[in-house]
């Protein structure tokens, strides 16, 4: 009975954070047919002139991906449980067999290149750096950022490195919409409209993005002023060539519970933002284009919400963007001058990769367009899948981690060949 209850708790936590847990997931796998630029081609739909190849499978709960030279590094979260995560390396652009560099990691998630051939990696409560080529990789680990939250709905930190050497770090909210967690489903206490959301206050607020500069000693986030706030879970994060920071946020759930006149399927939208330093984007008081949240209407008017920083673009509701990759130029047809975005969500708006045309400042210049789709639940052909992270290889192709099936995929120029 205890084992059944533990598995049920795992499953509930995975659903709350919008990601399937390791327990209870079925690895369906991909049907492959022919080749996509040297890799087995998977039966996913793509924009014209593109194909998707299967680089590796059975990698666990795949999340972050990074490239150093021609070496590919992938994080296996290990499920929503402590000390089961791994860091994997696949040499030769993913053509070599995966090797485990680190095991027993505590919920690792994000992975980005660091100076000196090192990697930054987020684990629960902190950011570390490591030398993947050290004789003893574990001995090369050192703390870079400490004091990040370990509890709540969104404890996984996202990272983006800036040209000046600083790091942007997402600190997700601990709750859905600042409710007080109750003992069982339906028991959550709504926030008080006359009281500021407690988790947005204090020395270590949540629902923010921080900018920190790594140094010889670890940086504690306590007291670091947010670069931007009012961001429920801005887990898709990138820095453009001109140092403009862009992000895409995961909006709240269950809005119809607070106001039955609203449809949860339609509201609120996820958001794409070109960040302004010091700006407040409204969570949990406001959503979409300055609309007061139902729980706060008695104290937040349309005028109050319009005073918050407006989003750059409304994304589809509950699409769950998890990664942004600037693709300024390169060989992939139709993608130059775009931001690639993984939409991880399980609803119809999610489980696809899209491209957003943008200018040098990250401002949209056209509508979203589908790049990879077809992750539908069709047994034996198109497995239900959910893309997570993106990284570019030196040849201009793009790697995609997909956590439902524990795979690493590669988006390349061309079409499937026999």
């Amino acid at each position: 009975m205890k084992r059944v209850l533990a598995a049920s708790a795992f499953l509930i936590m995975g659903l709350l954070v919008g990601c399937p847990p390791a327990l209870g997931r079925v690895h369906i796998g991909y049907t492959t047919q022919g080749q996509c630029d040297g890799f087995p081609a998977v039966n996913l739909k793509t924009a014209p002139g593109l194909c998707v190849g299967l680089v590796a499978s059975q990698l666990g709960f795949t999340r972050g991906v990074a490239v150093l030279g021609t070496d590919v590094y992938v994080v296996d979260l290990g499920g929503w449980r402590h000390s089961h995560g791994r860091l994997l390396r696949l040499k030769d652009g993913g053509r070599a067999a995966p090797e485990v560099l680190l095991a027993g990691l505590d919920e690792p998630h994000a992975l980005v290149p660091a100076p000196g051939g090192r990697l930054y990696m987020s684990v629960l409560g902190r950011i570390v750096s490591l030398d993947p080529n050290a004789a003893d990789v574990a001995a090369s680990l050192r703390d870079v950022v400490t004091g990040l939250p370990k509890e709540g709905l969104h404890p996984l930190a996202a990272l983006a490195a800036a040209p000046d050497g600083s790091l942007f770090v997402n600190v997700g909210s601990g709750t859905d919409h600042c409710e007080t967690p109750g003992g069982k489903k339906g028991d959550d206490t709504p926030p008080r409209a006359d009281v500021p959301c407690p988790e947005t206050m204090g020395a270590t607020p949540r629902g923010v993005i921080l900018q920190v500069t790594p140094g010889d000693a670890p940086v504690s986030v306590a007291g670091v002023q947010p670069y931007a706030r009012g961001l429920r879970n801005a887990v898709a994060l990138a820095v453009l060539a001109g140092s403009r920071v862009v992000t895409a946020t995961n909006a709240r759930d269950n809005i119809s519970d607070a106001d039955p006149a609203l449809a949860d399927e339609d509201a609120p939208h996820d958001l794409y933002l070109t960040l302004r330093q010091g700006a407040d984007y409204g969570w949990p008081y406001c959503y979409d284009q300055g609309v007061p949240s139902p729980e706060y209407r008695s104290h937040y008017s349309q005028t109050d919400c319009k005073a918050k920083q407006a989003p750059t673009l409304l994304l589809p509701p509950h699409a769950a963007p998890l990664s942004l990759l600037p693709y300024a130029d390169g060989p992939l047809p139709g993608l130059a001058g775009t931001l690639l975005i993984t939409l991880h969500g399980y609803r119809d708006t999610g489980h696809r990769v899209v491209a957003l045309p943008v200018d040098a400042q990250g401002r949209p210049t056209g509508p979203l367009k589908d790049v990879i789709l077809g992750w539908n639940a069709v047994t034996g052909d198109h497995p239900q899948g959910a893309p997570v992270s993106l990284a570019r290889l030196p040849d201009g192709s793009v790697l995609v981690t997909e956590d439902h099936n524990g795979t690493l995929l590669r988006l390349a120029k061309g079409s499937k060949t026999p």
Side-chain angles (χ1 to χ4, degrees):
M1 175 61 79
K2 289 183 179 178
R3 184 174 297 176
V4 172
L5 289 175
S8 298
F10 249 5
L11 181 59
I12 291 169
M13 176 56 74
L15 293 174
L16 285 172
V17 296
C19 310
L23 293 183
R25 287 189 296 129
V26 176
H27 291 271
I28 303 171
Y30 287 92
T31 296
T32 60
Q33 183 178 12
Q35 295 285 307
C36 171
D37 196 30
F39 289 92
V42 299
N43 290 327
L44 290 170
K45 300 175 183 178
T46 61
L50 299 169
C51 59
V52 177
L54 178 61
V55 178
S57 58
Q58 298 182 339
L59 299 180
F61 201 177
T62 45
R63 303 296 280 189
V65 59
V67 175
L68 292 176
T70 59
D71 290 346
V72 178
Y73 298 89
V74 176
V75 160
D76 167 17
L77 181 70
W80 301 102
R81 48 185 176 167
H82 295 303
S83 304
H84 283 73
R86 302 181 301 164
L87 175 64
L88 311 174
R89 175 168 60 194
L90 299 86
K91 293 184 176 181
D92 192 20
R95 292 170 179 83
E99 55 183 311
V100 179
L101 297 184
L102 292 170
L105 298 171
D106 201 358
E107 298 187 29
H109 173 63
L111 200 62
V112 297
R118 295 176 69 90
L119 289 168
Y120 291 125
M121 179 173 61
S122 68
V123 293
L124 200 62
R126 59 199 175 109
I127 311 299
V128 300
S129 79
L130 60 100
D131 181 356
N133 294 306
D136 186 343
V137 178
S140 76
L141 282 170
R142 64 180 181 86
D143 286 348
V144 174
V145 179
T146 59
L148 294 170
K150 298 181 180 181
E151 308 295 338
L153 291 188
H154 308 120
L156 304 181
L159 304 176
D164 64 2
S166 64
L167 268 179
F168 289 88
V169 182
N170 168 58
V171 184
S173 67
T175 62
D176 181 24
H177 57 283
C178 204
E179 74 282 6
T180 301
K184 56 185 178 180
K185 183 174 175 59
D187 230 12
D188 291 346
T189 303
R192 285 182 55 185
D194 60 333
V195 176
C197 179
E199 66 179 282
T200 66
M201 315 295 286
T204 55
R206 301 189 67 163
V208 302
I209 288 175
L210 304 176
Q211 182 181 22
V212 298
T213 301
D216 294 334
V219 177
S220 171
V221 300
V224 174
Q225 288 298 306
Y227 183 87
R229 61 173 69 238
L231 303 160
R232 178 179 173 271
N233 193 25
V235 72
L237 191 58
V239 181
L240 304 184
S243 296
R244 168 72 75 176
V245 186
V246 293
T247 188
T249 70
N250 288 227
R252 65 169 290 178
D253 294 313
N254 307 314
I255 199 168
S256 57
D257 289 352
D259 183 354
L262 298 172
D264 184 55
E265 294 80 9
D266 301 329
H269 291 79
D270 291 338
L271 306 176
Y272 168 71
L273 311 167
T274 55
L275 291 182
R276 289 183 53 192
Q277 186 170 4
D280 185 336
Y281 290 87
W283 182 86
Y285 314 110
C286 313
Y287 69 94
D288 285 7
Q289 295 282 4
V291 182
S293 297
E295 294 87 351
Y296 291 96
R297 284 176 186 157
S298 62
H299 281 74
Y300 276 79
S301 66
Q302 288 278 1
T303 301
D304 295 324
C305 284
K306 292 296 184 184
K308 304 290 185 181
Q309 185 65 42
T312 307
L313 179 70
L314 298 182
L315 298 174
H318 308 297
L322 291 194
S323 183
L324 294 175
L325 177 67
Y327 201 88
D329 53 50
L332 299 188
L335 299 188
T338 70
L339 274 173
L340 296 178
I341 311 173
T342 59
L343 302 180
H344 184 265
Y346 66 91
R347 308 192 198 200
D348 289 344
T349 53
H351 48 270
R352 55 195 171 118
V353 178
V354 298
L356 177 67
V358 294
D359 64 16
Q361 294 299 308
R363 294 173 297 226
T365 59
L368 289 173
K369 54 185 179 181
D370 288 328
V371 176
I372 307 175
L373 67 164
W375 273 293
N376 305 317
V378 180
T379 303
D381 189 19
H382 299 294
Q384 177 70 40
V388 180
S389 294
L390 302 164
R392 179 170 171 157
L393 283 164
D395 63 6
S397 61
V398 172
L399 296 169
V400 185
T401 58
E402 191 270 285
D403 66 2
H404 278 219
N405 300 289
T407 55
L408 178 65
L409 305 172
R410 177 174 174 266
L411 178 69
K413 180 180 179 181
S415 56
K416 291 190 295 184
T417 58

